[in-house]
Amino acid sequence: MVPGRRSGAAPPARAVAALCCWVLVLVVLLPLLVLRSLDARFGAALAVQCVVVVHTGAALARVLTGVRARVIAFGFWLFSYVWLGLAPLAMLATDAYPRGFLVDADTAFVTTVLVETGLVAYSAGSALASWRSSRSSVVLEPLLARRLAPGRVLLLCGVALLLAVVLIPGQGGLSAFFLSRQAANEAAAQAEPSGSAGRAMAAWLLSVPAFWALVALVHVPRFKEGDRVLRGLRWLLLPLLLAVNAVVNNPISQPRFWAGTVVLAVAFGASWLRGPRAFRVGAAGVAAVVLVVFPYSDYFRYDKREPVRVVSLAEQFTSNGDYDAFQQMETGVDYVRTHGFTPSAALGPPLFFVPRSAWPGKPDDAGILLARHAGYTFSNLSAPLWIESYMWAGFPSVIAVFGLIGAVGRRVDDLRHRLRRRPGTLAALLVPAFGFYQLVLLRGSLMAIVGPLALLVCIPLLITRKSRRPSAPSVQEAVYAPERAAPSPIPTEGART
């Protein structure tokens, strides 16, 4: 190692060259590829959208060439670049959209300004948090430094296996998980005709605990003076949990965003992908897959499968409903002009668990509201966080929301970097999972995803305990001696990597 050079940092010349290459690809080449075959109709909205593409492309390039692995920032800028950068660029240039509801030029202009306002607020919040990165966090640092408790991990494994035995028959049986999503939903409806809400909750009670049980079992620290019982249980449970996850979290019957979260959280939680260089390679691969493979990954959604037809990026963005985020935001701006702001709707997501029988005025799902306003016959639509926060109180609420998540996201990324050499911390488990599930959160709507999000966050909190060691990392933190000399059936200290 060269004296004075920070470990993991690229030489300045190479870093600048890599940044310039990524900026060239993301800010120049890909937008030109999208617009190459289009007869662009230039206007005020398209001009602002070009600013959005430059902003998101440059920010994503910065993450892909950074000296730290910033998973939260990567998830945010990847979604912003593809769904709110390139896709709207194609839509505004051609005035072609995947859904039927169209708006005027003024509404499109306000929508592009709304997108850029949220991005600027996020960047400002992240910059403010980076200035305080050297200071400790009273709340986040002790929280992310929590360590896996082996006994709780084993309990979660047992609960996940028990839920699989009990709930899989109610979802249509084992074979239903290898059918298309359409057929799986029909099979579950026949097995449990009481309602879709109960089926959805049962599905998440199957998927999320099984996912966390597998991840926690992989990450639970090994012991210097190992416990044979724990090692034996680990090797016994691991193939069982792999089999359960292959059933309940497979990409055939599960939503693509969730199946992708499971795979990427396991991959990026591995120790060999925590370093900056490996992260940059992995993140570049994910970005390429999202651009090239994601549009065709709905092959298993329906029973009737047509041959895969490869089309241009511009045609995908303007015809595929998976990229309707910007158009839904336009619909939301038009909705606010008609109905005004609804500050009380901000209470819906945090109080999602309150039944409507006890709260008759409980806010409706934002995606359903926008579907009704547009006159669609289907209501399972997205409502990006930009428009949902805009519907609460306009631009001030957008600035507040995105400034906050920008600051918190940067602090979480920095703390994960500081704790990267510690085995079995909450940061090692939760940050990669949330970083990629963030795409679902940003796409919305909040009422539709806050329940699964609560499970995704609460389960790792329950299987970890407060770390007894100070939060500042040290060189010897990978191996340390147990506090108690007497061995216990399931040791709690003395972990090593």
Side-chain angles (χ1 to χ4, degrees), residues 400-421:
V401 168
F402 281 89
L404 178 62
I405 64 175
V408 173
R410 182 56 182 261
R411 290 293 279 164
V412 169
D413 275 337
D414 289 341
L415 289 171
R416 178 179 180 264
H417 178 76
R418 292 175 61 180
L419 298 167
R420 67 190 183 281
R421 290 191 176 93

Side-chain angles (χ1 to χ4, degrees), residues 285-309:
V286 172
V289 168
V290 167
L291 281 169
V292 178
V293 179
F294 177 81
Y296 308 99
S297 60
D298 61 348
Y299 181 76
F300 298 103
R301 178 180 290 183
Y302 305 106
D303 283 339
K304 295 181 179 180
R305 297 165 186 164
E306 299 179 355
V308 176
R309 186 172 66 92

Side-chain angles (χ1 to χ4, degrees), residues 6 8-26 57-70 73-74 77 275-284 287:
R6 185 170 50 181
R14 289 180 56 192
V16 173
L19 179 61
C20 291
C21 289
W22 275 113
V23 169
L24 179 64
V25 170
L26 298 175
L60 182 58
R62 184 67 185 89
V63 173
L64 291 173
T65 57
V67 296
R68 292 186 177 185
R70 297 171 53 200
F74 173 64
W77 291 115
R277 182 177 301 177
F279 170 79
R280 290 193 293 265
V281 174

Side-chain angles (χ1 to χ4, degrees), residues 148-158 212-213 216-218 220 237 463:
L148 282 171
R152 300 180 190 181
V153 171
L154 295 178
L155 179 61
L156 174 63
C157 294
W212 276 129
L217 195 64
V218 171
V220 69
L237 292 171
I463 60 175

